[in-house]
């Protein structure tokens, strides 16, 4: 069938398999162009492997250091005239390319928060890889059903203490307007968000993997966080999601303790603000990203998820002398170029000026919009969207 984008708010309901394949190929080419990641990971589990930072982590590991990868994600294959999700097509593309390159790649589709999927993953590691030497934790979800209690938690994106008013953009229409977001009404909004996006599930994974004996001596695990500029603090770092990120970061010493006897180590990497399915759902942030892109592209320091993850692996996690550079709070920082003083000063200046009228001139809203559609396999160079696409693409390792 001919597949066109169909959007509802910040969600795209359709996805293009050929575009997804080309986008994955482009990421692979980038990683190859950077050369081998020396002393890189060899057997890798990526939890949240189908889109965004997780997909790029998987590609960086596989094509940067010939790693065997197992990817866990929650996606939908095509069914009854409905197409699959973008992450499904990305994973189909990734496995196809990995297998053609002679690399082991298998995937598990299901709820990573559940005990069942953890068990299934452990069985697969035991059967095929024996052990893994890197575990990437890159889940982003609005919901989590707790595996021990069955309680279903929903996260919220709200400020804490007082309401927050700032500029925001509808990137489909290009209208910049003020948005006011009411603060949390109760502690539960905070604790629910921490239950979904905090560190407990990462800890459950590492505990289960360790107990099963499938973590290799010297294993590393990394999860992703965000800080960003002061202008988004009320909605991000000081808001409900920020409390979850604090919890995630506070899990690092707990995991380090757990991994001590394996000489293993855990990290949080603070990544750059980027267009992904998750970040497009946060108010204010897309407008900030549009200005950030404009400034960083002009300076030649702009990166996408694959540039970020290749740099994370090559320059942080797997350095030649084995040293991992950390900030004063013990975190890896690949948001360093985003947070550079000159970049932030320019973004802040533009933020004060930005309006509907000058949006296309002083921001990279067009780049934001294009990248958003790219996430779903649309507007990818070299793809003929007038041609029939086979929406029925399968992930080879999933029956
Ligand atoms: P994303 O939405 O692109 O990826 C989320 C992944 O989680 C997908 O593979 C999805 O299938 C998987 N997933 C969601 N629920 C699942 C479930 N129940 N079971 C199994 N898999 C499930 O998100 P993105 O942006 O790559 O986020 C990954 C991490 O990076 C998050 O912790 C996020 O906070 C963090 N981060 C994101 C930044 C951004 O600007 N996008 C910046 C810095 C950090
Ligand atoms: Na991800």
């Amino acid at each position: 069938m001919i597949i066109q984008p169909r959007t509802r708010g910040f969600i795209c309901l359709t996805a293009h398999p050929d575009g997804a394949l080309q986008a994955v190929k482009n990421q692979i080419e980038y990683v190859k162009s950077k050369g081998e990641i020396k002393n890189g990971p060899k057997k890798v589990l990526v939890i949240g492997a189908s889109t965004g930072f997780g997909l790029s982590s998987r590609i960086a590991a596989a094509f940067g250091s010939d790693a065997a990868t197992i990817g866990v994600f929650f996606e939908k294959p095509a069914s009854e005239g409905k197409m699959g999700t973008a992450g499904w097509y990305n994973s189909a593309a990734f496995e196809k390319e990995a297998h053609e390159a002679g690399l082991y790649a298998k995937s598990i589709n299901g709820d990573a928060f559940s005990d069942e999927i953890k068990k299934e993953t452990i069985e697969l590691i035991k059967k095929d890889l024996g052990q893994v030497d890197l575990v990437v934790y890159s889940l982003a979800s609005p919901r989590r059903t707790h595996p021990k209690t069955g309680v279903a938690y929903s996260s919220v994106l709200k400020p804490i203490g007082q309401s927050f008013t700032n500029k925001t953009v509808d990137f489909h229409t290009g209208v910049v307007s003020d948005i006011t977001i009411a603060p949390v009404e109760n502690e539960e909004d905070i604790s629910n968000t921490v239950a979904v996006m905090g560190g407990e599930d990462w800890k459950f994974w590492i505990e289960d993997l360790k107990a099963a004996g499938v973590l290799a001596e010297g294993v590393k695990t990394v999860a992703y966080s965000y800080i960003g500029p002061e202008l988004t603090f009320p909605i991000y770092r000081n808001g409900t999601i920020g409390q979850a990120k604090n919890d995630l970061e506070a899990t690092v010493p707990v995991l380090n303790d757990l991994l001590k006897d394996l000489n293993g180590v855990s990290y949080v990497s603070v990544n750059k603000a980027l267009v992904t399915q998750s970040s497009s759902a946060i108010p204010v942030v897309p407008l900030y990203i549009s200005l950030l892109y404009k400034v960083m592209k002009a300076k030649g320091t702009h990166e996408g998820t694959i540039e970020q993850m290749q740099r994370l692996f090559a320059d942080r996690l797997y350095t030649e002398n084995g040293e991992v550079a950390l900030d004063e709070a013990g975190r890896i920082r690949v948001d360093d170029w985003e947070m550079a003083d000159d970049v932030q000063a320019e973004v802040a200046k533009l933020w004060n000026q930005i309006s509907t009228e000058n949006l296309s001139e002083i921001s990279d809203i067009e780049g934001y919009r294009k990248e958003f559609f790219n996430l779903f396999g649309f507007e990818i160079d070299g793809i003929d969207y007038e041609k029939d696409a086979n929406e029925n693409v399968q992930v080879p390792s999933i029956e």
Side-chain angles (χ1 to χ4, degrees):
M1 65 164 111
I2 291 180
I3 305 176
Q4 298 289 347
R6 204 148 47 80
T7 57
R8 191 195 295 144
F10 50 77
I11 296 171
C12 186
L13 301 165
T14 53
H16 201 285
D18 303 321
L21 173 60
Q22 187 57 49
V24 165
K25 281 184 179 172
N26 293 347
Q27 291 201 28
I28 291 170
E29 279 319 304
Y30 174 78
V31 170
K32 285 189 182 164
S33 78
K34 300 299 282 184
E36 186 202 342
I37 296 167
K38 295 198 186 70
N39 315 312
K42 287 292 165 211
K43 296 177 180 180
V44 180
L45 170 63
V46 181
I47 303 155
S50 54
T51 58
F53 284 111
L55 172 65
S56 294
S57 303
R58 191 177 194 185
I59 292 171
F63 290 89
S65 73
D66 284 338
T69 59
I70 292 175
V72 180
F73 47 75
F74 210 0
E75 302 292 349
K76 283 203 185 81
S79 68
E80 304 289 312
K82 274 183 74 183
M83 59 218 72
T85 55
W88 179 266
Y89 294 139
N90 291 339
S91 302
F94 172 81
E95 279 200 15
K96 176 178 177 288
E97 294 300 308
H99 295 165
E100 276 174 29
L103 296 168
Y104 173 97
K106 285 192 184 176
S107 305
I108 291 177
N109 191 27
D111 181 9
F113 296 129
S114 70
D115 284 344
E116 293 71 39
I117 289 295
K118 292 183 176 74
K119 224 180 273 165
E120 208 182 303
T121 306
I122 286 166
E123 289 315 310
L124 184 61
I125 297 172
K126 276 188 182 165
K127 180 163 79 74
D128 287 355
L129 303 180
Q131 293 181 323
V132 291
D133 54 62
L134 173 66
V135 179
V136 175
Y137 187 84
S138 187
L139 291 184
S141 172
R143 271 174 298 281
R144 171 177 173 230
T145 299
H146 197 282
K148 316 295 175 198
T149 63
V151 175
Y153 297 100
S154 289
S155 65
V156 298
L157 287 165
K158 287 186 186 170
I160 296 170
Q162 59 208 58
S163 68
F164 172 54
T165 301
N166 214 325
K167 296 173 185 174
T168 197
V169 69
D170 177 332
F171 62 89
H172 296 299
T173 61
V175 173
V176 177
S177 60
D178 274 341
I179 186 172
T180 297
I181 308 148
V184 296
E185 275 161 28
N186 46 47
E187 275 297 311
E188 271 203 343
D189 275 348
I190 302 172
S191 60
N192 289 353
T193 305
V194 171
V196 178
M197 287 297 284
E200 188 185 43
D201 183 61
W202 185 23
K203 187 176 104 208
F204 283 174
W205 268 100
I206 299 302
E207 282 175 349
D208 287 4
L209 292 163
K210 189 190 175 203
V214 296
L215 297 179
E217 172 79 20
V219 66
K220 294 181 194 238
T221 182
V222 63
Y224 301 137
S225 188
Y226 184 65
I227 298 174
E230 264 173 58
L231 74 93
T232 64
F233 275 6
I235 185 68
Y236 200 96
R237 194 66 207 204
N238 294 340
T240 48
I241 180 70
Q243 301 307 301
K245 290 304 184 192
N246 289 343
D247 185 72
L248 184 80
E249 292 173 16
T251 305
V252 166
V254 177
L255 296 186
N256 282 341
D257 229 35
L258 195 67
L259 296 174
K260 213 173 359 188
D261 54 337
L262 289 171
N263 290 313
V265 57
S266 74
Y267 299 102
V268 158
S269 171
V270 182
N271 299 345
K272 179 195 184 193
L274 283 172
V275 183
T276 67
Q277 293 187 47
S278 296
S279 65
S280 59
I282 308 174
V284 185
V285 168
L287 184 57
Y288 165 72
I289 292 179
S290 303
L291 291 171
L292 181 71
Y293 276 26
K294 181 79 168 189
V295 171
M296 293 186 81
K297 283 179 183 176
K299 288 184 188 294
T301 57
H302 175 71
E303 298 175 296
T305 55
I306 194 62
E307 288 86 356
Q308 280 267 292
M309 295 300 94
Q310 198 281 336
R311 191 156 69 91
L312 170 66
F313 281 46
D315 296 353
R316 298 292 193 277
L317 285 174
Y318 300 98
T319 56
E320 251 162 81
N321 62 9
E323 267 166 44
V324 180
L326 302 175
D327 71 7
E328 71 294 339
R331 303 169 295 207
I332 293 174
R333 302 296 295 266
V334 288
D335 67 337
D336 48 347
W337 299 349
E338 169 183 358
M339 299 313 290
D341 288 343
D342 58 331
V343 169
Q344 285 301 320
E346 282 182 46
V347 171
K349 203 171 111 212
L350 293 171
W351 186 265
N352 291 327
Q353 303 165 10
I354 193 83
S355 66
T356 305
E357 289 66 39
N358 62 22
L359 179 70
S360 56
E361 189 192 328
I362 70 172
S363 87
D364 186 29
I365 193 68
E366 190 41 39
Y368 188 100
R369 212 191 56 77
K370 188 164 195 281
E371 264 192 38
F372 177 80
F373 285 107
N374 287 171
L375 297 175
F376 303 90
F378 296 112
E379 298 191 28
I380 302 282
D381 292 341
I383 301 298
D384 181 356
Y385 292 98
E386 301 306 318
K387 246 182 58 188
D388 268 335
N390 170 20
E391 70 280 4
N392 229 345
V393 175
Q394 295 307 315
V395 179
S397 73
I398 297 176
E399 275 102 61

